Amino acid sequence: MSAIQVKTAADYQAEGKEPEVLFWVGCAGSFDARAQKVTKAFVEILTHAGVDFAILGNEESCTGDPARRAGNEFVFQMTALQNIEVLNMYSVKKIVTACPHCFNSLKNEYPALGGNYDVVHHTAFINDLFSSGRLKVSGGTFKGKKITYHDSCYLGRVNGQYEAPRELLKMLDIELQEMKRCRTKGLCCGAGGAQMFKEDEPGDKRINIERVEEALDTGAEIVAANCPFCITMLGDGIKANEKQEEVMVYDISELIVQSL
Amino acid sequence: MIQIIAFILLFGVSMFMAFRAFSKIRRNILLGGGDYDVVDDTPQRIKNTLLIAFGQQKMFKNWIPAVFHFFIYAAFVITQIELIEIFVDGFTGNHRIFLPFLGGFYTFIISFIEILSVLAFVATFVFLARRNLLKIPRFIKPEMNGWPKLDGNLILIGELLLLIGIFSMNGADVVLQDIDPEHYHDTGNLAVSSWLGPALFGGLEQSTLVMIERFGWWLHIITVFAFLNYLPYSKHLHIILAFPNVFYQNLKSRGEIENMPEIMTEVKSMMGLIPEDQMPEMSDDIPEFGAKDVFGLSWKNIMDSYSCTECGRCTAQCPANITGKKLSPRKVLMDIRDRATEIGNNIDSGSAEFYKEGADTTQPLTADNYDDGKSLFDYISREELHACTTCNACVEACPVTINPLEPILKLRRYEILTESAGPSDWVPMFTSIENTGAVWQMPTERADWTKSLNETEA
């Protein structure tokens, strides 16, 4: 494949063009080594499907999700209003992101602050690429592999999107081994509500350990996820169980890239 | 005649007392001073009320309790028809006044009530067993110790009394219909009492039968009045509040945490986003953000707390609670309710100790001049608030659409914004977002990942 090029919204503006969609990378997707791989996988998918996309690059800031959920409305407003200024300056209409927390804030919280965009999560976006015929996969890569899927709270329970990710897995010929707690009853990985950035409160167990035990119970070799924070939490939980050699955690986009 | 007078007295006293108690609940709910933006969509609200409150849609995520709960609920609702007759009979001194008008339909209705009552009878025992023998985990959490546990059992025992009342009344009546058909009109073949009556009471003296029939009638109506007056002090209040609570549920996305326009405006003006001439006047008072007490919550948050029937489905789904943390969404709701009740009772006492410092104690005590030196933080610990992952499992789980997450976030806001307190771990995250626009302080630039895009990776 030819070299992948990632252009910023500023590049498009300089060329007098408009991208089809803005890819919101998010803090994790930009800085976290594990999540960067997901970012790159998604970029590869976009390129493969011939999608004209832009990123904000250094003009992007945290959406403010963890600040707002921790209770710090000032910090949330500062970063969110800053982002809205930038997004509106580039007249952004459609946003795709691989982070359900960014997705939720952009979609549900920015309108009250004056930011109105059509926001989609990357699993739904990729699903559309398939249904419109812009993307095709060859099944079989994961034949015979046991795979389970972890619903992130902010894509699943909060935004009611349970099917798009599962449809993608089905397209890969994956026979899904559902965990006991899935869909509306899916158990949190433990990172939400700004827990990612603090030590746990005293208790018997870490939440990610509880979730990973359930995932391991399915006998899965791959845990598919849709959120960078879930991926970190589940990965840590698997390490704590000393299963990192046998069980891998992947974002759904990473599974798709392997089947392109 | 004595019976009519006794009935009217009982009716009057219990209605008066119930009215007073319910008015207090209403007042306590309205202690909530925070905003609650009710999205105007009445058709959707009616639909929700029919499906979720009337149809108990969310109960059916868990079939076993849902079916048994439905038996009790259906029996309760349908029995109200018979209760109307009991009322009319009570006021007029008649006996089964609807029977001559309805004929065969009367037999059908009473039979229907009887069948549901038998099912409710079974369900009541199942529920007593689930609470006391099977000890289903969500019923034995620490917040259930004491009154909540007793309350749960008292309601079930009251339920049994009601059913004993109905069957004594109808059973004795059926037997009396053969002995004294002039006073005890033929009700037709009742589904349960027509065999249960003769089986239990057959062969008894007429005077004894009359006593049993009257005992059943009075037991039923006294239990109903007692229930009515018990509701305002019990988790059982959900049988009423579930309906308005579902009707007024938040119709906006769950993902949207309520905006704080006052902070938005201030940040906008700091960022120069508001033209000079449109700047709002800033008051010199230091504002209080978030909620410290029920006064800072919305009336809906408090209505939520009074609608809670302590079933614990929220707590059973809470990831923090499952992994042994102190947070229990149910306890948060119970605490809000208990605090609102405490404030309400203190306001009613009018005692000088509950006035704000320097307030004029000749004025009546209200929410505005109230200060008892306590707050919700005396009920809900920081540790509980800090354990929440905002995963919405509790919101999803509640059968009557209570939102435990909202008050948790409002208390967090108070802690962070007004007290400048909160977990110290969060401070670097806040500063980093503020200074560098990322949740972590990084030595690299945000778009640096693009540089390694075309490097081959394993």
Side-chain angles (χ1 to χ4, degrees), chain B residues 364-379:
Chain B
L365 187 57
T366 63
D368 297 324
N369 55 9
Y370 181 88
D371 184 9
D372 60 1
K374 293 208 284 181
S375 76
L376 259 180
F377 287 97
D378 293 302
Y379 284 74

Side-chain angles (χ1 to χ4, degrees), chain B residues 110-141:
Chain B
I110 301 294
S111 291
F112 191 51
I113 291 171
E114 288 200 344
I115 290 167
L116 282 169
S117 298
V118 171
L119 293 174
F121 201 68
V122 175
T124 309
F125 278 105
V126 171
F127 283 168
L128 279 168
R130 282 169 64 89
R131 277 176 186 269
N132 301 291
L133 299 175
L134 298 175
K135 297 195 189 292
I136 305 281
R138 62 186 161 96
F139 293 133
I140 51 167
K141 296 272 171 184

Side-chain angles (χ1 to χ4, degrees), chain B residues 157-179:
Chain B
I157 291 165
E159 193 71 48
L160 289 181
L161 290 178
L162 268 181
L163 296 169
I164 291 169
I166 290 182
F167 286 116
S168 319
M169 176 177 90
N170 288 354
D173 200 284
V174 166
V175 182
L176 281 164
Q177 285 167 25
D178 285 337
I179 304 171

Side-chain angles (χ1 to χ4, degrees), chain B residues 131-358:
Chain B
R131 277 176 186 269
N132 301 291
L133 299 175
L134 298 175
K135 297 195 189 292
I136 305 281
R138 62 186 161 96
F139 293 133
I140 51 167
K141 296 272 171 184
E143 66 266 24
M144 297 306 285
N145 290 337
W147 169 247
K149 185 181 168 160
L150 179 64
D151 185 23
N153 283 324
L154 282 176
I155 293 153
L156 292 170
I157 291 165
E159 193 71 48
L160 289 181
L161 290 178
L162 268 181
L163 296 169
I164 291 169
I166 290 182
F167 286 116
S168 319
M169 176 177 90
N170 288 354
D173 200 284
V174 166
V175 182
L176 281 164
Q177 285 167 25
D178 285 337
I179 304 171
D180 183 7
E182 212 163 295
H183 288 101
Y184 296 90
H185 306 295
D186 184 9
T187 52
N189 217 339
L190 298 181
V192 179
S193 294
S194 286
W195 57 267
L196 186 69
L200 287 176
F201 311 126
L204 293 180
E205 291 272 335
Q206 184 176 349
S207 59
T208 316
L209 286 165
V210 172
M211 279 208 3
I212 293 172
E213 196 277 335
R214 285 294 85 191
F215 163 80
W217 192 90
W218 281 101
L219 178 65
H220 187 141
I221 195 66
I222 288 171
T223 315
V224 167
F225 285 136
F227 244 139
L228 185 66
N229 279 282
Y230 180 65
L231 286 182
Y233 307 97
S234 160
K235 76 180 191 98
H236 212 49
L237 190 55
H238 81 286
I239 66 169
I240 295 171
L241 284 186
F243 293 88
N245 205 57
V246 170
F247 184 84
Y248 286 113
Q249 80 174 100
N250 178 22
L251 295 182
K252 290 194 239 169
S253 167
R254 262 181 207 173
E256 182 186 1
I257 294 178
E258 200 191 357
N259 195 28
M260 297 179 81
E262 64 277 31
I263 292 186
M264 183 173 72
T265 313
E266 197 173 328
V267 173
K268 275 186 177 172
S269 67
M270 268 164 47
M271 292 169 65
L273 297 175
I274 302 175
E276 284 283 333
D277 53 330
Q278 285 171 33
M279 289 278 255
E281 296 232 355
M282 296 283 174
S283 88
D284 291 332
D285 299 336
I286 299 166
E288 193 176 289
F289 295 120
K292 170 192 184 186
D293 211 332
V294 293
F295 305 116
L297 299 175
S298 71
W299 59 265
K300 179 60 168 66
N301 296 141
I302 305 178
M303 189 196 264
D304 272 357
S305 77
Y306 280 105
S307 307
C308 175
T309 195
E310 300 168 9
C311 74
R313 282 172 176 75
C314 52
T315 294
Q317 296 291 331
C318 173
N321 194 277
I322 289 170
T323 54
K325 277 104 189 161
K326 237 176 110 188
L327 174 63
S328 161
R330 166 174 57 190
K331 178 184 169 288
V332 171
L333 266 302
M334 291 166 75
D335 287 340
I336 293 169
R337 178 197 62 201
D338 293 349
R339 174 65 180 152
T341 305
E342 177 186 57
I343 293 172
N345 291 343
N346 288 345
I347 286 179
D348 288 335
S349 80
S351 167
E353 59 180 307
F354 301 125
Y355 281 84
K356 255 185 200 150
E357 220 181 271

Side-chain angles (χ1 to χ4, degrees), chain A residues 133-207:
Chain A
R134 294 173 73 179
L135 203 60
K136 283 188 178 63
V137 278
S138 46
T141 316
F142 300 99
K143 216 172 175 74
K145 286 225 193 252
K146 279 193 174 174
I147 296 184
T148 191
Y149 170 68
H150 168 79
D151 287 285
S152 69
C153 304
Y154 274 79
L155 187 64
R157 207 160 25 238
V158 174
N159 283 290
Q161 300 193 10
Y162 304 105
E163 296 315 322
R166 286 183 171 79
E167 278 168 29
L168 289 177
L169 294 173
K170 211 185 273 171
M171 228 169 308
L172 297 175
D173 279 341
I174 284 170
E175 214 175 298
L176 199 56
Q177 312 277 325
E178 291 282 8
M179 286 185 256
K180 224 175 99 196
R181 286 173 283 198
C182 63
R183 290 196 166 85
T184 56
K185 288 194 171 178
L187 184 74
C188 177
C189 71
Q195 296 295 329
M196 183 75 189
F197 306 96
K198 66 185 262 299
E199 283 302 315
D200 284 8
E201 299 306 312
D204 309 330
K205 203 185 204 177
R206 302 201 64 186
I207 296 171

